[in-house]
Each structure stands twice: as structure tokens, then as C-alpha cells.
Amino acid sequence: MAEHKSLTTPPANSDVKVVPSQGGHDAGHGTAHTGQPAHGAAFPPFETHTFLAQLIWLAISFGLLYYLMAKIALPRIEAILHARSSRLATDLDEAQRMKSEADAAGVAYETSLRDAQGKAQGIAQEARAKLAAESDKRRKDKEAELNAKIAASETTIRESTARAMGNVREIAGETAASIVERLTGHAPDRDSLDRALGAVH
Amino acid sequence: MAGSIDPAHQVALRPDPIHQFELHSLVPFGHIGNQQIAFTQSALYMFAAVAVITLITIVATSSRSVVPGRMQSLAEIFYEFIADTVHQATGDEGKRFMPLVFSLFMFVLVLNLFGMIPYAFAVTSHLVVTFGLAALVIGVVVVFGVMKHGTHFFGLFVPSGVPKPLLALLVPIEIISFISRPISLSVRLFANVLAGHIAMKIFAFFVVGLFSAGAWGLLFPLPLFLTIALTALEFLVAALQAYVFATLTAIYLNDALHPGH
């Protein structure tokens, strides 16, 4: 069997090789040929005597690969992807929660600001009203005082005037009596003097 | 058979677009029957993919930060992307298949992208690897479907509301379409990666070939730009095929969860 004495040392000329017979014929005529693809040359993918070895190595290497993928690689990658997506989900939740918290705080701030503004306005209003009332009262007091003073002054003036007018009449009477005495030589009686002064007036 | 699993590394440039798919034995183990058992560069790339995925999804997430770093973001983006895909296809019950779909997506994606590194090996360019993954998917669909729904699971093959005579025609079609699922699932990925890498290599070697063709060498920018465009396309294909594989897996798993038509 030609198949059984394979792996013979290659011929000295490395281009020359023994062409295996096709179809499992044991008559392996050692047809030497130079590198050209001569007719009947072995086509490596169809050399059946290499199949078993290739299948064995394929089974071992692919089995090893399958084992590594199924037991280590894929569970690990799946865990990584799962961890990432859950991490993202919790982060998003957290962000959502924080955002709603911030919104609530904003709303609370707005409310308290409005309250404070309202209160401040109330206080201002009150203060303004109080001040206005106070100043009003003071003004009224002052006015009343002033009015009283005016009234007192007016009374004084009227009294002084009256007194002055009285004095004027007396002086006028005396003056008229003395004028009449000088002119007529005798003092006029009080009645006619009063009548005359009344007529002038 | 000496040819396919070369003990020696031959990274020498060879215009042969198939050469890049050869398996190289790093640690030979011997034989089982006619099967050659060896630790090849393909197996090394598989374990490197496991290491890279572990780096992104386990090492980078070990700090479990709420604010992720770049690598942890990457792991989370992949997780959410696949979780969405699974949820859309299967609803809430599909969550138990999340490790399977996620592992398949990451494994295929990283292996496809490894294949885009210059001189690197595209593990998914080997049909037996993609078929192994597709068979795993269909196996899970069948085993889980039968465990959960018993014989009711086979109602998957009987469209409801169809007249009896038509069933004789439709049931075989449904069965064939179910059986072709692992084939289409695996061949789609395998063929995309294989064809893309062959096309890139062929166009890249056109550039080299034109230089050794005298005046034709002036045409070298054409295949060069094509190679650049193809490389970009292959990056798209690498990611897209991983997505397609994961989406179809989720859709097939939905049949195990909800076998009714």
C-alpha cells in the first residue's frame, strides 16, 4: 500500500514530489513532476487520507473553543452587558428622582418666596397705614393746637381792639369836651356829648 | 502517499495556485488504516484561532469594566451581533444555542481572516473542515429536535395544508432539501474560500508572468489592480461567509425548536 509508507523523506529537489494516486488505488505510481499543476495532481482539499486527522483536530479545537465560550466568555460578556444596562437604569432612575426632588425644591422655593413677598407687602402696608395714621393724628393735633392758638389770638385781638376802641371813645369824648369848653367857654354835659359821639360813629 | 502532507516547509514561490492548500505535517503521529495522522499547520491555525478568540472574549473582558476598552468593546459587539442574529431566527428559546452559534461564527471568521494573511493557510479551504462544522450543526438540529419533539420533529418533512397525493411528491423533496443542508452549508464556505484564494494567487502570478513576457510587462497594472480589488473582496467574503454560516445555523436550529411548517 502506497498510503502506508507516507512521510518518506522528500526528494532532494524540493520541487519534485510524489503524486498520490486518486481514488484510493494502492498503485501509487511515483509520478515525479516539477512544480507545475500537472493533470492528475493531488488536490489537497480532496485528499481523503488527511480527513481523519483534520476532523480530530477540528473536534479538539472547536470543542475547546465551545467549552471556553459556553462556560467563561459568554456568561461573562452577558453579565457585563447586564450590569451595564442595570447600572444605566438605576442611574437614570436616580437622575429622575433627583430631578423631581429639585423640581419640588424649586416649587417650594417659589411658594415660600411668594408667601414672603405677600407677608412683606402686608407688613409694609401695615407700617404705611400705621405711619399714615400717626402722622394724620399728629397733624390733626397740631392743627387743633394751632386753631386753638389762632382762636385765642383772635380773642385777644378782639379784646384789645374793643379795649382800644373803648379808650378811643373816651379819649375822643374828653378831647371833644375840652374842644367844646375852649370854644364855648363851658363844659358840655355828658348826655349831649354821648349823643354827638354816637352820631359820628 | 507522500505528497500531500509535506514534512518539509516549502514556502518557495510556486505559480501553482493549488500549492497553498497543501497540508504540512509538523508533528507526525503515524497512521490509522490509510489515514495519515499528524499535527499539521491546519491544526496549528485552528488552535491559534481558539487562542485569538479567547484573547478577545476572555482575556479582554477579565476586567469586566462598565466602560469597556477596545478589545472588550469588540467582544461585546460580536456578542450582541450574534445574539441579535440568533434571537431573530429562533426567538427567545434559541438563547441556549447562543454558545454554539457564537463559537461557529468566531471560529469561521477568525480562520477566514487568518487565511487572508500572506503566506498563511486558510483552514476553511478544506471541505472536510467545513463539512465537519456543518455536520455538527445538522447533528445538533436532529438530536435536539428528536429529543424535544419526539417523532413530531419529522413533521418538518410534511408540509401542512397540502393534499395527500401531493405529499408523496413533497415529502421526498423536503427530505432531500434537509439532507442537502449540511452539504450546501459546508460547500458554500469551502468553495468561497477556495475559489477566492485560487483567484488571488492566479491574478498575482499574472503580474509576475507579465514581467517575464517582454513588452507585455507594461500591462502589469491590470492584474495588479485586479489582485488588490480581489483582496478587498476576499476580506468581505471572509466576514460575510462567517455571517452566512452563523445565520443559516440559527435558521436550521429554529427548525429543531419549532418543527412545524
Side-chain angles (χ1 to χ4, degrees), chain A residues 52-98:
Chain A
L52 182 61
Q54 292 201 64
L55 284 175
I56 290 170
W57 295 121
L58 176 67
I60 294 171
S61 59
F62 190 75
L64 175 67
L65 178 68
Y66 182 87
Y67 177 82
L68 290 173
M69 294 300 108
K71 294 287 169 217
I72 305 174
L74 296 184
R76 185 185 289 172
I77 297 173
E78 203 181 340
I80 291 170
L81 293 176
H82 184 75
R84 181 173 310 144
S85 65
S86 63
R87 169 85 177 270
L88 280 179
T90 52
D91 280 6
L92 281 178
D93 283 356
E94 184 76 355
Q96 189 62 43
R97 195 180 59 73
M98 282 177 162

Side-chain angles (χ1 to χ4, degrees), chain A residues 79-149:
Chain A
I80 291 170
L81 293 176
H82 184 75
R84 181 173 310 144
S85 65
S86 63
R87 169 85 177 270
L88 280 179
T90 52
D91 280 6
L92 281 178
D93 283 356
E94 184 76 355
Q96 189 62 43
R97 195 180 59 73
M98 282 177 162
K99 187 180 176 295
S100 55
E101 257 175 34
D103 283 352
V107 169
Y109 165 76
E110 290 282 338
T111 328
S112 65
L113 184 68
R114 224 173 300 122
D115 281 359
Q117 271 174 347
K119 215 182 279 175
Q121 249 165 12
I123 289 169
Q125 195 94 45
E126 212 173 284
R128 215 177 302 130
K130 201 170 125 197
L131 284 176
E134 244 170 48
S135 67
D136 224 27
K137 187 165 161 278
R138 218 178 300 148
R139 184 166 52 84
K140 271 192 192 128
D141 287 356
K142 263 297 192 269
E143 268 175 8
E145 203 179 307
L146 286 174
N147 282 343
K149 271 189 187 154

Side-chain angles (χ1 to χ4, degrees), chain B residues 108 112 185 188-189 192-193 236-246:
Chain B
V108 173
N112 281 354
L185 191 59
R188 181 182 298 111
L189 176 58
N192 267 288
V193 175
L236 176 71
V237 167
L240 194 67
Q241 286 304 319
Y243 172 64
V244 167
F245 200 95

Side-chain angles (χ1 to χ4, degrees), chain B residues 2-250:
Chain B
S4 50
I5 299 187
D6 283 339
H9 258 296
Q10 301 167 349
V11 200
L13 285 176
R14 291 203 289 177
D16 169 9
I18 303 302
H19 169 67
Q20 57 179 320
F21 304 114
E22 278 171 13
L23 292 167
H24 300 290
S25 165
L26 303 176
V27 184
F29 287 110
H31 293 80
I32 299 175
N34 67 349
Q35 291 290 321
Q36 187 178 355
I37 310 298
F39 188 83
T40 57
Q41 96 274 36
S42 169
L44 184 66
Y45 278 98
M46 289 181 201
F47 284 104
V50 173
V52 166
I53 298 166
T54 304
L55 189 74
I56 295 172
T57 59
I58 294 178
V59 178
T61 58
S62 55
S63 63
R64 298 160 190 260
S65 10
V66 174
V67 180
R70 276 189 215 176
M71 291 288 263
Q72 191 185 317
S73 282
L74 196 62
E76 287 173 12
I77 288 167
F78 281 134
Y79 178 91
E80 287 184 325
F81 178 62
I82 295 302
D84 273 0
T85 305
V86 172
H87 190 264
Q88 271 175 18
T90 63
D92 288 332
E93 299 134 273
K95 206 164 176 298
R96 67 166 73 202
F97 293 122
M98 179 67 191
L100 177 65
V101 182
F102 186 80
S103 305
L104 280 171
F105 173 74
M106 295 303 287
F107 197 60
V108 173
L109 177 69
V110 172
L111 286 178
N112 281 354
L113 291 176
F114 274 172
M116 294 307 296
I117 301 169
Y119 297 108
F121 176 75
V123 178
T124 42
S125 68
H126 275 250
L127 181 58
V128 66
V129 173
T130 62
F131 187 79
L133 293 173
L136 171 70
V137 171
I138 299 302
V140 169
V141 168
V142 172
V143 170
F144 182 81
V146 171
M147 265 169 53
K148 188 159 184 245
H149 301 284
T151 51
H152 185 65
F153 172 69
F154 297 104
L156 187 65
F157 304 124
V158 186
S160 58
V162 175
K164 281 253 154 67
L166 259 177
L167 278 181
L169 185 65
L170 283 178
V171 169
I173 291 176
E174 290 286 340
I175 291 173
I176 290 170
S177 99
F178 187 83
I179 290 170
S180 62
R181 277 177 181 180
I183 299 168
S184 68
L185 191 59
S186 55
V187 169
R188 181 182 298 111
L189 176 58
F190 153 73
N192 267 288
V193 175
L194 183 87
H197 281 74
I198 290 177
M200 279 195 290
K201 185 127 188 181
I202 287 175
F203 278 107
F205 266 103
F206 274 170
V207 183
V208 181
L210 279 172
F211 275 127
S212 57
W216 291 107
L218 291 173
L219 288 176
F220 84 92
L222 289 173
L224 179 63
F225 284 126
L226 259 173
T227 307
I228 293 167
L230 266 177
T231 307
L233 179 71
E234 285 312 306
F235 271 106
L236 176 71
V237 167
L240 194 67
Q241 286 304 319
Y243 172 64
V244 167
F245 200 95
T247 307
L248 286 175
T249 299

Side-chain angles (χ1 to χ4, degrees), chain A residues 2 9 26 36 42 73 101 108 133 142 167 175 180:
Chain A
T9 47
D26 12 340
Q36 280 152 354
E101 257 175 34
K142 263 297 192 269
N167 291 346
T175 313
V180 166

